[in-house]
Amino acid sequence: MHLLIPAAGMGRRMGSNRNKLLLKLLDRPILAWTLKAAEASEQITWIGIMGQPEDEPDFQEILASLSLTKPVKLIRGGATRQESVYNGLQALPEAAQWVLIHDGARCLASPGLFDRCATALRQCPGLIAAIPVKDTIKVVDDRDVIVDTPDRSHLWAAQTPQGFEVKLLKECHDRGRQNGWEVTDDAALFEKCGLPVKIVAGEETNLKVTTPVDLAIAEFILRDSRNPVS
């Protein structure tokens, strides 16, 4: 199973002027925790990291410190996540049939989650890890007035990994570029192209580290000896 990690963003909401994946979480950069989980996965055999050229020396330093046994390729990222994934798809080995895409900032994903998604992907064209929404969700208008309260039993919070057949995802990205579609995840491209996307049970601890509060929560989780990645 091939894995692509978008890692080309900045840490503006983190209050940082550098790539947030290079910020320390306990004793390692955020990206290192993601790579440790990928290394421990039984299914993942190849890793691609999409980043900006100025971050490449730091990425190389992280890779050297981890001594991963799986091949890792550094790929030029884009101005958006969508562009970065497009670039990553073009850099996949020619024989790649399936791909998992995982945000580097979701650094607490367990090896087991990668393996569950990889196994399920061989039985469907596309999937995402997700968890049921617990809160009541309100839809508001541009005046911040509630206009609807959707049934939360049908609502799921999307996570990553997201997985797809490589050929189909490449076609969806090509259509997206031709039509000027701007999406926040690859599942949305699949949906726009009328392709089914299955839900695979995610993990409550699989949070995306975006703000200083998220970083503090992630540190708390990693200090818990029950966490399989620590």
Side-chain angles (χ1 to χ4, degrees), residues 157-191:
Q159 299 181 341
T160 63
Q162 301 190 355
F164 307 91
E165 289 185 22
V166 171
K167 180 177 180 294
L168 289 177
L169 187 57
K170 282 184 174 181
E171 291 172 356
C172 290
H173 269 271
D174 287 339
R175 284 189 61 184
R177 289 164 72 88
Q178 293 166 8
N179 294 306
W181 295 338
E182 294 183 5
V183 297
T184 56
D185 72 358
D186 298 279
L189 281 176
F190 245 54
E191 294 163 34

Side-chain angles (χ1 to χ4, degrees), residues 23-136:
L23 299 178
K24 284 292 183 69
L25 174 57
L26 296 186
D27 59 339
R28 294 186 177 94
I30 290 173
L31 179 61
W33 291 103
T34 307
L35 291 170
K36 275 172 57 67
E39 170 75 3
S41 163
E42 296 179 357
Q43 296 287 327
I44 292 171
T45 57
W46 183 97
I47 302 168
I49 304 172
M50 293 85 79
Q52 301 300 346
E54 59 266 28
D55 291 331
E56 186 168 323
D58 292 294
F59 290 170
Q60 293 282 16
E61 185 177 338
I62 291 170
L63 292 171
S65 71
L66 294 175
S67 301
L68 303 181
T69 62
K70 298 174 181 179
V72 180
K73 182 172 184 176
L74 297 182
I75 304 162
R76 178 71 62 90
T80 65
R81 183 188 188 281
Q82 189 173 340
E83 288 182 9
S84 291
V85 174
Y86 177 87
N87 292 350
L89 290 172
Q90 312 316 308
L92 285 173
E94 189 173 341
Q97 294 180 273
W98 300 283
V99 63
L100 293 179
I101 300 164
H102 184 67
D103 293 338
R106 290 191 182 274
C107 53
L108 302 184
S110 72
L113 179 57
F114 285 121
D115 290 340
R116 290 200 305 275
C117 289
T119 300
L121 182 55
R122 292 180 172 86
Q123 307 298 323
C124 65
L127 59 79
I128 68 170
I131 56 174
V133 169
K134 295 179 179 178
D135 298 321
T136 297

Side-chain angles (χ1 to χ4, degrees), residues 9-20 23 54-55:
M10 292 295 293
R12 295 182 182 88
R13 282 181 287 179
M14 186 67 74
S16 173
N17 59 359
R18 66 193 301 226
N19 191 328
K20 68 182 176 185
L23 299 178
E54 59 266 28
D55 291 331

